[in-house]
Amino acid sequence: MDENKENNVNSAEDEQLKKELDQLAKVFQEELDKAKAQEIDEESEARDGEEVFGGEGLIQDLEDVQTVSHDESETEEIPEEELCECCGEKRRGTKKNPDSPYCYECEKALRHYPFELLNVIIPLLIIALSLYCCYIFSDNIGIYAAVQQADKYVSEKKLYTASSAYDMAIEKMESGNINGELVYKRALDCSYKTGMFLNSDLKEDVFKSWELKLPHLKSVYNIQLEALEMRNTQSAIDEILYKYDSEDVKDIPYDKIIEEINALVDAPAKEMPVYDGETGEEISTTSAYNIKVKNYSKPMLLYYEFYIAVICEKDTETQLSFLEKIREEYPEMTWIYGAMLGDIYNKSNKDVSGIIKKIREVNAEDTSADVIEATALRIKGDYDKAMEICNKFIDKEDTYAYEFLRQKAICQLLKDDYEAAFKTAQQAYSQSAVPLTANLLLVCSIAVNDSDTYSEIEEMFKQSNMNISGEVLDYKNGKTSLEQIFTKGDFDVV
């Protein structure tokens, strides 16, 4: 009986277990059916999406999946050069694009990678800012172009043209209320190399006083200081010369004046007084930035020593000593010594090639170098070549046109073309009525027997309390010839 009871219990338990297993199988089947249905829906959506972007998309994906599955089953090691550039694990390339640097999964991920909003906004902001900058730049393109052109001229050593270009740029800046400090600086640097900085003052509102102490504006401060030193030196020399003013050169105490000038080298500089043009009252400062001058300008002192030597008719070597010292200590200041040094070298029959080269290295547009060259050719007897150089600058109405005309007239005299020489000398005198052009015109008027012109120039000398050159008087009196005046001695009439 106990056995029957036990069997009944086991049967009941088996029946209960069977029911539970059937229930679990039913639930599993239902879940499996749901999963299959969801997978079918997703494949349908994917197929619809691929049809939107291209009919072959789904087919290609399936083919690539097969390719990937096949590739992944491969057991051989993939060469490094064939690995995907993105994941670095799978073989690069797909069935549709065998040359792709990416595997299928990476290429598909890159193809569907979503854009963030910032990825759109930032490029748009950059484009907008660029357009705004272009608008601002276009409004000031004239200033930029003028400055660029001026910089180009400076690089070519065309300093006079560069100065004009900078002036144009500054004029445009001022009309547009723009304070381009570096443009002012470049213009001042350029004018310093030509010596024109002495004839212009920097406006006080261009730079702040403290800005002149900044490293990049150091040259502005130095140029302003040197301009003041030179002006103060000129004022101090004028005071010395005023004390010894004399109509007769022989009465000028040359040694005493030179001694007093040399004393200024180490002396503290006196501030040059400046007077208001309207009220006549003395202005307290000579500098827009109140720069204090402590010393006198040494190159300017040397220049005035040369000037006094010329006035007192000292020998050539004495005159040369001052100019050569400037050249030695301040070689870039060709504007203060170049023309005169070249002239004395020519009159001393010395080589002028070095000074011509140096002048052109500093400023290719400084035609004093061409005057020196034409004079040297004339002294050597190459009159045609000398006149060729002269004609080039006469036609351009150069600053030194009167001197080119004078050199040409001398060449014409030496070629016995007196009438042409007379007309050329008249042109030179009309452009610049200085002793050099006046004495030459007197010689030419004697050569063509024009007594009226001679008398007119002679009267001008008398009214100016100046003396006609002794060489002119000797030529008039038949004591010398044109060849002796222009091919010997100092090769000129002075």
Side-chain angles (χ1 to χ4, degrees):
M1 184 172 179
D2 291 334
E3 284 183 10
N4 291 334
K5 185 177 181 179
E6 184 177 351
N7 289 334
N8 289 334
V9 171
N10 290 336
S11 297
E13 289 177 353
D14 291 340
E15 185 66 26
Q16 182 66 29
L17 179 61
K18 183 178 178 181
K19 289 181 179 180
E20 290 179 356
L21 290 173
D22 289 341
Q23 184 66 30
L24 286 171
K26 183 179 180 180
V27 172
F28 178 78
Q29 186 64 45
E30 289 176 354
E31 293 297 326
L32 181 62
D33 292 341
K34 287 180 182 180
K36 288 181 178 180
Q38 184 176 357
E39 183 177 357
I40 291 171
D41 291 341
E42 288 177 353
E43 289 179 356
S44 177
E45 290 177 0
R47 185 180 302 106
D48 293 340
E50 293 292 344
E51 288 175 355
V52 172
F53 295 103
E56 297 179 356
L58 181 59
I59 296 174
Q60 178 64 39
D61 286 349
L62 292 174
E63 290 175 345
D64 289 339
V65 168
Q66 293 174 0
T67 303
V68 171
S69 299
H70 176 70
D71 289 345
E72 289 177 348
S73 66
E74 295 179 353
T75 56
E76 74 271 11
E77 184 179 355
I78 301 174
E80 183 177 353
E81 62 272 10
E82 295 183 17
L83 290 174
C84 172
E85 288 186 3
C86 184
C87 66
E89 297 177 355
K90 300 177 182 178
R91 190 184 301 276
R92 65 172 62 185
T94 64
K95 191 167 185 179
K96 184 177 180 181
N97 185 13
D99 295 328
S100 173
Y102 310 109
C103 65
Y104 166 73
E105 284 86 351
C106 292
E107 186 175 88
K108 184 175 182 181
L110 293 171
R111 205 165 53 232
H112 297 290
Y113 191 84
F115 285 101
E116 294 184 2
L117 185 58
L118 284 177
N119 291 341
V120 177
I121 293 176
I122 291 176
L124 290 176
L125 287 175
I126 293 173
I127 293 172
L129 182 61
S130 299
L131 291 174
Y132 176 73
C133 291
C134 290
Y135 170 76
I136 297 298
F137 177 76
S138 64
D139 195 40
N140 298 317
I141 188 66
I143 299 173
Y144 177 80
V147 173
Q148 287 296 304
Q149 190 62 54
D151 291 344
K152 179 176 180 293
Y153 289 136
V154 170
S155 67
E156 296 171 351
K157 308 297 184 182
K158 298 178 179 179
L159 301 187
Y160 295 140
T161 306
S163 290
S164 298
Y166 281 129
D167 289 343
M168 183 184 299
I170 290 172
E171 184 178 341
K172 291 181 179 180
M173 286 194 313
E174 291 177 345
S175 63
N177 295 319
I178 300 172
N179 183 23
E181 292 182 345
L182 292 182
V183 177
Y184 284 109
K185 175 187 179 298
R186 293 177 189 179
L188 190 60
D189 289 341
C190 181
S191 67
Y192 176 74
K193 294 176 182 178
T194 63
M196 293 189 295
F197 73 103
L198 291 173
N199 301 322
S200 60
D201 291 312
L202 194 62
K203 295 180 180 179
E204 189 172 5
D205 57 350
V206 173
F207 302 101
K208 301 292 186 294
S209 295
W210 60 268
E211 288 181 310
L212 297 186
K213 299 178 181 178
L214 298 176
H216 71 289
L217 294 178
K218 185 177 180 181
S219 66
V220 176
Y221 176 86
N222 290 339
I223 292 172
Q224 288 290 95
L225 176 60
E226 189 158 356
L228 290 172
E229 288 177 346
M230 288 189 169
R231 291 172 188 171
N232 284 5
T233 303
Q234 184 178 4
S235 178
I237 298 294
D238 287 342
E239 288 184 5
I240 294 173
L241 297 180
Y242 181 76
K243 293 188 300 182
Y244 304 107
D245 187 26
S246 174
E247 294 183 2
D248 192 342
V249 173
K250 295 179 181 179
D251 294 332
I252 298 177
Y254 171 79
D255 293 332
K256 190 167 183 59
I257 292 175
I258 295 298
E259 183 181 345
E260 291 192 29
I261 292 177
N262 286 333
L264 296 177
V265 174
D266 298 320
K270 291 171 55 179
E271 189 171 356
M272 179 181 67
V274 176
Y275 300 93
D276 188 284
E278 295 181 0
T279 64
E281 296 180 357
E282 183 176 339
I283 301 174
S284 60
T285 178
T286 61
S287 169
Y289 298 97
N290 198 24
I291 298 175
K292 300 299 181 183
V293 178
K294 297 180 180 179
N295 303 303
Y296 291 107
S297 169
K298 189 173 180 182
M300 190 61 77
L301 291 173
L302 288 169
Y303 170 79
Y304 273 104
E305 288 180 316
F306 158 75
Y307 174 72
I308 299 301
V310 173
I311 291 177
C312 294
E313 300 177 353
K314 294 298 177 179
D315 58 88
T316 299
E317 291 305 317
T318 300
Q319 296 177 25
L320 277 176
S321 65
F322 300 117
L323 294 178
E324 288 180 335
K325 197 164 186 180
I326 299 176
R327 181 186 183 185
E328 178 184 347
E329 298 183 12
Y330 309 93
E332 299 303 313
M333 287 188 173
T334 53
W335 54 270
I336 198 174
Y337 71 84
M340 293 167 292
L341 188 59
D343 182 57
I344 296 177
Y345 277 174
N346 269 327
K347 291 178 179 179
S348 305
N349 206 16
K350 293 185 177 182
D351 179 30
V352 294
S353 59
I355 187 63
I356 290 174
K357 180 181 178 182
K358 185 60 183 178
I359 292 172
R360 288 173 176 164
E361 282 178 356
V362 174
N363 182 9
E365 293 183 322
D366 187 346
T367 50
S368 64
D370 300 281
V371 171
I372 296 169
E373 183 179 15
T375 304
L377 288 168
R378 188 258 296 173
I379 290 173
K380 292 177 182 177
D382 194 346
Y383 305 131
D384 291 333
K385 183 65 175 178
M387 287 193 293
E388 183 181 334
I389 294 174
C390 293
N391 287 333
K392 182 170 61 174
F393 294 100
I394 291 170
D395 295 338
K396 289 182 178 180
E397 298 182 354
D398 185 80
T399 304
Y400 284 104
Y402 75 93
E403 182 59 24
F404 288 112
L405 285 164
R406 204 177 72 85
Q407 292 298 325
K408 181 180 178 180
I410 295 173
C411 290
Q412 290 169 330
L413 281 174
L414 294 171
K415 292 184 70 175
D416 299 329
D417 193 352
Y418 301 149
E419 290 293 339
F422 178 71
K423 292 178 181 178
T424 306
Q426 281 184 314
Q427 286 182 270
Y429 180 74
S430 65
Q431 289 194 13
S432 181
V434 295
L436 279 173
T437 56
N439 278 314
L440 180 61
L441 183 55
L442 287 174
V443 170
C444 291
S445 65
I446 296 169
V448 296
N449 296 315
D450 190 328
S451 57
D452 291 339
T453 299
Y454 187 93
S455 298
E456 181 184 336
I457 304 301
E458 184 179 36
E459 183 62 26
M460 183 276 294
F461 271 98
K462 290 179 180 178
Q463 291 178 359
S464 303
N465 293 320
M466 295 188 300
N467 296 320
I468 296 175
S469 169
E471 292 169 307
V472 173
L473 297 176
D474 287 344
Y475 178 59
K476 182 182 179 183
N477 296 326
K479 296 181 180 180
T480 188
S481 65
L482 293 175
E483 288 72 18
Q484 287 176 316
I485 294 174
F486 296 112
T487 63
K488 297 179 181 179
D490 58 10
F491 308 96
D492 210 336
V493 55
V494 292

